[in-house]
Amino acid sequence: MEHVPALDEDLKKTLGPATAKVLAEQLGLHTALDLLHHYPRRYAERGELTSLAELADQIDEHVTVVAQVADARILTFNGGRGKRLEVTITDGSGRLQLVFFGAGVHKPHKDLLPGTRAMFAGKVGMFNRKLQLSHPAYEPLSQDASDRDAATAFANQLIPIYPACAKLESWKIAKCVDAVLPSAQDAVDPLPTTLREGRGLVPLTEALSKIHRPGTKADIEDARQRLKWDEAFVLQVALARRRHADSQLPAVPRRPAPGGLLDALDAKLPFTLTEGQQKVSKEIFDDLATEHPMHRLLQGEVGSGKTLVALRAMLAVVDSGGQAAMLAPTEVLAQQHHRSITEMMGELAEGGMLGGSDQGTKVVLLTGSMGMPARRQALLDLVTGEAGIVIGTHALIEDKVQFHDLGLVVVDEQHRFGVEQRDALRSKGKQPPHLLVMTATPIPRTVAMTVFGDLETSVLDQLPAGRSPIATHVVPSKDKPHFLARAWERVREEVEKGHQAYVVCPRIGDGEDDPKKKAAEDDGDKRPPLAVVEIAEQLTRGPLAGMSVEVLHGRMDPADKDDVMRRFAAGEVKVLVATTVIEVGVNVPNSTVMVIMDADRFGVSQLHQLRGRVGRGAAPGLCLLVSEMHEASPARARLAAVAATLDGFELSRIDLEQRREGDVLGQAQSGVRSSLRMLAVIEDEEVIAEAREEATRVVAEDPALEGLPGLRTALDALLDTEREQYLEKG
């Protein structure tokens, strides 16, 4: 691995210990290379003013604005003993107040005369319902062409505005970048020369210079195109190497035996598989029959029948003499899967038991809260091979759990698991087992290529026949309280027809909620989120009096949770007030209505998941999104988007576009900070797809990248140790 001394050096040497400490602690920047990859968020033009209207969405965030002083006045209080300077700045369309107190008022009063143009940086606050910056840092922008100080501190026309923090404003970061920019000449170019020239991309050193100190807008565009390619290509090379390494591993081919369990299950199903289920099953069976481990992602719309597809894959493996394990993120979901799989299989799930089928197998459940005797029996069934299928939670990963011959691992709701957990289970096979990862959160193609790039992808987007459409409406409870009253009437009507309802709240509210979090939420105008316990009480005393209303949340005793879920599934409980524990996998076809309280506090994809719990039978589903947010707010626009479409892929795009750029990878992989600084996963679909093709070709020709030392260096720098481990483990 090549070493680049100037770029790998600690920033202490170049910038001094105090500044280096702030950059490291606040922004995670440790070396000159880190700082060169800390790109400007946007650029202000020297004569231009920044829109102040956008600040309403950025309360409590550190911002940098370019604006002009409209007026400044000193006010006294405490009988003349205290002084406050109030400065109003404007951009022509909006105004913002700056306040300075005490002895700190004199310098800004002298500097910030009406008409002065400056950059201001500070934390956006709210006082008397007005936006303000308290004690902001500022940097006047010279109007005088002969005064070159300000002009040399920044670029000629375009002023880079950097992601900053309280202790280091954007213009101070710009000065730090100036100090390390000469070392950009030592940057090793990761792109193979033929690739770079073939795509007309500028060299890396030029791109770094242009992104930080552009002369024109065209410079910024050139730099962005080049740096996006670096990020996409380096990441795709890492994933291509992972796929290549997997293709070299040995695995036992698993082919279903004719006349075995799989055929027996298919014969007893009361319906035919959808075209989608047949197509995806074929892709999975083809993979299982190979001598290398399958690595497949199965993503399907809510209710598209993924569990049945997974069960057929597990039975194919059992038919060939192996065992299959299904890992679920919660006990509620593990129990639900166990119930639905044993119901689908009937006597086939009672192998070796009285009344069971001769060709059947045991289907065991393994969770952390099971009693010792049941647990001991389950462990014995696994190690002897008596149980062909095990469904469980993290308990499956413990050292005590041993398999006779683990052939397939199915991971449900992949995003809920750390990669380490997925791997701990896979390591229990004598040879690497096949892997099927399932998610009901539809993922746009580019995200699948980026986040799950080491997996082949299958998509189930067809709903089984007989599924009813779900109508979704926004209930603006503050503007129109009678709409909320009508929502509870609708719940009553559905229950009186013999159906059931869910009411979802963001918080538990049993007195054990995180006090720090609660204090933060109580702060200011925002009330704390509505809680399960409180709402359940209000409903039983008020609009749903006389109905059987029960609560379900993650902190209940597992036995109590299972009891409530069983009684709800049996129709004894009519209304279930719950947290998002019901988000995935809970299947009660008789529930037709869901009311989501404080719906604006949930993400778009999460709301889509939640509403997928209703309309699972023959009766149509209804989902009501209750919110106090104002009609013109971004939160209401999100809710309107959910109400407007049942297409999960469309909603996942909207969800991604509204999230901060770069969150996707950090969260979906192993919780580390995303390495994507320039690449926008949604907008840059073309770049990602092309980079994947190029990366696959490069790795096929030179898996160890021996002929591309620059690319190896970049892999090391861009994929920090934790992410490298993530990709290594797959």
Side-chain angles (χ1 to χ4, degrees), residues 142-445:
S142 165
Q143 302 285 324
D144 181 358
S146 65
D147 176 2
R148 288 285 166 217
D149 287 353
T152 49
F154 304 105
N156 305 336
Q157 279 87 30
L158 294 163
I159 302 161
I161 307 287
Y162 287 93
C165 59
K167 293 180 179 171
L168 211 59
E169 296 84 20
S170 171
W171 53 87
K172 289 185 182 162
I173 293 174
K175 287 171 182 166
C176 296
V177 170
D178 280 337
V180 300
L181 205 49
S183 64
Q185 296 309 312
D186 299 335
V188 179
D189 202 320
L191 296 190
T193 314
T194 49
L195 190 159
R196 182 177 66 70
E197 288 173 353
R199 295 193 171 271
L201 299 167
V202 300
L204 179 59
T205 50
E206 189 181 323
L208 289 171
S209 170
K210 282 181 168 176
I211 200 76
H212 290 291
R213 299 295 170 261
T216 63
K217 288 182 178 173
D219 284 353
I220 300 169
E221 196 43 41
D222 284 351
R224 281 195 168 139
Q225 283 310 317
R226 166 61 217 246
L227 296 166
K228 277 179 182 182
W229 252 95
D230 280 17
E231 287 177 10
F233 183 68
V234 172
L235 182 65
Q236 290 301 336
V237 166
L239 292 165
R241 289 181 79 189
R242 179 76 202 99
R243 289 195 302 275
H244 183 271
D246 282 340
S247 71
Q248 308 301 305
L249 290 173
V252 179
R254 308 282 179 174
R255 297 182 183 88
L261 274 168
L262 178 59
D263 287 349
L265 174 81
D266 285 350
K268 71 193 296 292
L269 287 177
F271 50 80
T272 53
L273 298 178
T274 64
E275 265 177 59
Q277 286 173 318
Q278 289 173 7
K279 176 175 150 284
V280 168
S281 288
K282 182 179 181 323
E283 290 170 350
I284 292 170
F285 291 151
D286 287 350
D287 281 1
L288 289 173
T290 65
E291 294 181 354
H292 306 294
M294 166 171 81
H295 284 88
R296 189 164 283 280
L297 167 70
L298 169 57
Q299 48 168 334
E301 274 289 11
V302 181
S304 58
K306 287 182 302 300
T307 310
L308 177 57
V309 169
L311 173 58
R312 295 183 77 239
M314 292 196 283
L315 292 179
V317 170
V318 175
D319 277 347
S320 72
Q323 291 169 293
M326 183 184 238
L327 182 62
T330 63
E331 293 214 349
V332 167
L333 192 49
Q335 285 158 343
Q336 173 81 37
H337 276 319
H338 184 254
R339 252 198 310 276
S340 61
I341 282 174
T342 48
E343 276 167 21
M344 276 193 256
M345 288 176 66
E347 73 284 359
L348 299 174
E350 295 164 358
M353 292 151 77
L354 203 61
S357 160
D358 293 344
Q359 64 187 132
T361 186
K362 263 194 186 175
V363 178
V364 301
L365 177 69
L366 188 64
T367 65
S369 64
M370 279 168 70
M372 213 49 212
R375 192 183 174 82
R376 207 173 279 128
Q377 184 59 52
L379 292 172
L380 187 65
D381 288 341
L382 285 178
V383 78
T384 59
E386 192 81 3
I389 295 176
V390 59
I391 296 152
T393 54
H394 301 77
L396 282 177
I397 294 164
E398 290 166 13
D399 291 343
K400 288 191 199 108
V401 181
Q402 300 295 325
F403 288 85
H404 177 65
D405 179 14
L406 179 60
L408 171 67
V409 171
V410 179
V411 181
D412 193 26
E413 290 308 317
Q414 158 65 25
H415 61 280
R416 303 286 192 91
F417 288 100
V419 177
E420 293 73 17
Q421 295 160 323
R422 171 173 123 181
D423 291 328
L425 182 51
R426 284 174 64 194
S427 68
K428 292 181 181 289
K430 295 189 175 85
Q431 275 197 318
H434 298 281
L435 173 72
L436 179 66
V437 169
M438 301 201 296
T439 176
T441 308
I443 305 164
R445 175 169 161 262

Side-chain angles (χ1 to χ4, degrees), residues 602-623:
F602 298 96
V604 168
S605 293
Q606 199 173 24
L607 291 170
H608 180 58
Q609 282 297 309
L610 285 165
R611 77 166 157 199
R613 302 303 110 214
V614 296
R616 298 176 80 86
L622 172 66
C623 177

